[in-house]
Structures are given as C-alpha cells and as structure tokens.
Amino acid sequence: MIGGAVCLQLIEIVGWRPALLGLALMLAVFVGWVFAIPEPLLCKDRLRTPRHLSVFAILRNKRLWATSALIAPGVIGIAVAFATVQLRLVDIGFAAADIGWIGALSNVFTYTIIAPLTSAILTRMAPHRGLLWGCAVLAIGFGGLSIIDRYLGVSMSAVASVGMVFAALAVQHVAFTSWFLGLARPGKAGTDVTFLTSAMAAFALVGFAASGFVAARFGYGVALIMPGVGYALSALLAAALLRQSDSAAPGEDG
C-alpha cells in the first residue's frame, strides 16, 4: 500500500523527486534491519554436499524440469494480464493515485483473505492435488470473468479485472509454493525451490515482454483470456503428472 498507493498519492501532492526520495529513505531503514536478523543454526549431523553436485542433481531431476514446464502456461498468462490491467485503467482515464489505491486495496484483500483461505483449503490435500485444483479454479474464474465482462460497465469491468488478477496471484503463490516445497529433496529445499522460483520469474518475464503486443494487437479482452487458457493448460499438465505419480511404483524416483 505504501509503495503502490501512498507514494503515487504523494507524487500528485509534492512531485516525483520528493516522493521517491521519501520512499527510498524508508526502504533504507528496512534494509538496515537485515543486520539484526540472526543466521539459522546448521544441524551438525547434516551431510555436507559440494555445491556443484547440487547443480548436477538439478539437471538430472526430471520432476523439477517437468514442474517448470507445467507452470509455464499459467505464469505467462497471468503476467500478461497483470501488466495490462493497470494500463487499461490508464486508458479509461483513472488518475495515477486512484490506480495505486485500487491495486493496493486489491493486494491487501487478496493476501489477507484469499491467500489464507487458499492455504487452509490446500492443507487438506496433497501438494500436487492442490496444484491441480488451484490451476483449475483459476481457469474457471478467468473464464467466468470473460463471460460477465460484456455485461459490466467499462470502469467496473476494469476494476474487477484488477481484483481478479491479484486474487489469482495469491492463489498461484500458495499453490505453487506448496508444490515446490513438497517436491524439494530433503536437505536441498533452498536449492530446489530457488530453481523453480527462478524458472517462474523467467516465464513471467516472457509474459511481461509480450503484454504490450497482446494488448495493442488483440485488445485488453484477449489479455484477460490468456490467464484462463494458461491455467487450463497447467491444470491439464498437472492432471497428467498426478496420474503418472499415482501409477508409479512405490519407491520410484521421479
């Protein structure tokens, strides 16, 4: 809320330079607190493996690469939508501060209600099933949004799209992180989760890069359809992975 809404409000009041300078000073204070955080204690009985072996283990781990391919459609689709929903508000005529508050309130709502609710639901099922249902629900949600979008006013539709995108990011964060942690090798969670998170960031970069072309060439409506299609593809891939996992013999290493 401070970075996305308060700062934009200050820009309209005092200008860009003072507002961004104040934000930078505030961030510097938070950065200073890093030195007060104690390092976690390492278990003495943990086997120490050379780092280069972990890299080779990742390259040989088919499930990490399969997961990267699985999440790609959904991440690219939501990145396109995330990059265009606020541009749509600009084109409609919303002020920068208003756009900031819309995004900030959507963010607060989704991460205080949607994300905890998603977490509570996913704790009742295995991580790979949570991944499947999370993608399926998001695909249905964006499909429903594209259907009712034509019956809403332009401004209401644009604001609802922002809320839907932020809600999708919250569900994606919980479902994907749960799956990443469940997939990680014992003692190597930091390495494996970092690899998968980096892959997700790379796919998001592809979506951001393509977002402007998609909006200019096909319109904002298509940009909102892409997350639904992407999550549907990810759900299908997750279903295939789930079927393969269920049919695998006990003890088989993926």
Side-chain angles (χ1 to χ4, degrees), residues 3 10 14 25-26 53 62 70 86 99 138 151 160 162 192 231 237 253:
L10 289 176
V14 300
L25 293 175
M26 185 196 69
L53 294 180
K62 297 179 180 179
L70 185 157
Q86 293 180 329
I99 295 174
L138 291 177
Y151 302 106
V162 175
D192 294 346
Y231 284 126
L237 293 174
D253 184 14

Side-chain angles (χ1 to χ4, degrees), residues 27-81:
L27 293 177
V29 173
F30 281 103
V31 169
W33 288 349
V34 171
F35 298 100
I37 301 175
E39 291 289 341
L41 298 177
L42 295 177
C43 297
K44 296 182 179 180
D45 57 347
R46 177 180 297 178
L47 296 177
R48 296 181 178 270
T49 306
R51 292 184 179 180
H52 66 278
L53 294 180
S54 296
V55 175
F56 289 129
I58 286 178
L59 294 177
R60 293 194 303 265
N61 195 319
K62 297 179 180 179
R63 299 200 70 179
L64 291 181
W65 290 104
T67 297
S68 298
L70 185 157
I71 65 176
V75 173
I76 293 174
I78 194 61
V80 171

Side-chain angles (χ1 to χ4, degrees), residues 188-202:
K188 300 296 182 181
T191 302
D192 294 346
V193 173
T194 300
F195 171 80
L196 293 171
T197 304
S198 300
M200 186 165 61

Side-chain angles (χ1 to χ4, degrees), residues 12-249:
E12 292 190 351
I13 298 174
V14 300
W16 282 88
R17 184 173 296 176
L20 294 179
L21 179 60
L23 180 63
L25 293 175
M26 185 196 69
L27 293 177
V29 173
F30 281 103
V31 169
W33 288 349
V34 171
F35 298 100
I37 301 175
E39 291 289 341
L41 298 177
L42 295 177
C43 297
K44 296 182 179 180
D45 57 347
R46 177 180 297 178
L47 296 177
R48 296 181 178 270
T49 306
R51 292 184 179 180
H52 66 278
L53 294 180
S54 296
V55 175
F56 289 129
I58 286 178
L59 294 177
R60 293 194 303 265
N61 195 319
K62 297 179 180 179
R63 299 200 70 179
L64 291 181
W65 290 104
T67 297
S68 298
L70 185 157
I71 65 176
V75 173
I76 293 174
I78 194 61
V80 171
F82 179 79
T84 55
V85 288
Q86 293 180 329
L87 297 178
R88 185 183 180 187
L89 293 175
V90 173
D91 287 345
I92 293 175
F94 280 80
D98 294 334
I99 295 174
W101 281 109
I102 291 171
L105 294 176
S106 298
N107 196 23
V108 170
F109 174 77
T110 54
Y111 278 95
T112 55
I113 298 178
I114 302 298
L117 180 61
T118 302
S119 180
I121 295 174
L122 293 186
T123 54
R124 301 177 180 274
M125 61 182 69
H128 51 287
R129 295 185 183 275
L131 178 68
L132 168 61
W133 285 106
C135 290
V137 168
L138 291 177
I140 295 172
F142 276 101
L145 179 64
S146 64
I147 293 175
I148 66 174
D149 183 69
R150 67 186 67 181
Y151 302 106
L152 299 176
V154 176
S155 298
M156 184 179 298
S157 173
V159 174
S161 299
V162 175
M164 181 64 192
V165 167
F166 274 96
L169 289 173
V171 174
Q172 173 183 287
H173 175 76
V174 175
F176 284 15
T177 302
S178 177
W179 169 239
F180 294 166
L181 293 172
L183 188 68
R185 296 164 294 162
K188 300 296 182 181
T191 302
D192 294 346
V193 173
T194 300
F195 171 80
L196 293 171
T197 304
S198 300
M200 186 165 61
F203 296 136
L205 182 61
V206 173
F208 291 146
S211 61
F213 170 79
V214 172
R217 181 67 177 83
F218 303 104
Y220 291 118
V222 173
L224 282 176
I225 292 175
M226 289 190 66
V229 175
Y231 284 126
L233 291 175
S234 292
L236 291 175
L237 293 174
L241 180 63
L242 178 60
R243 179 176 299 180
Q244 181 181 3
S245 300
D246 290 342
S247 61

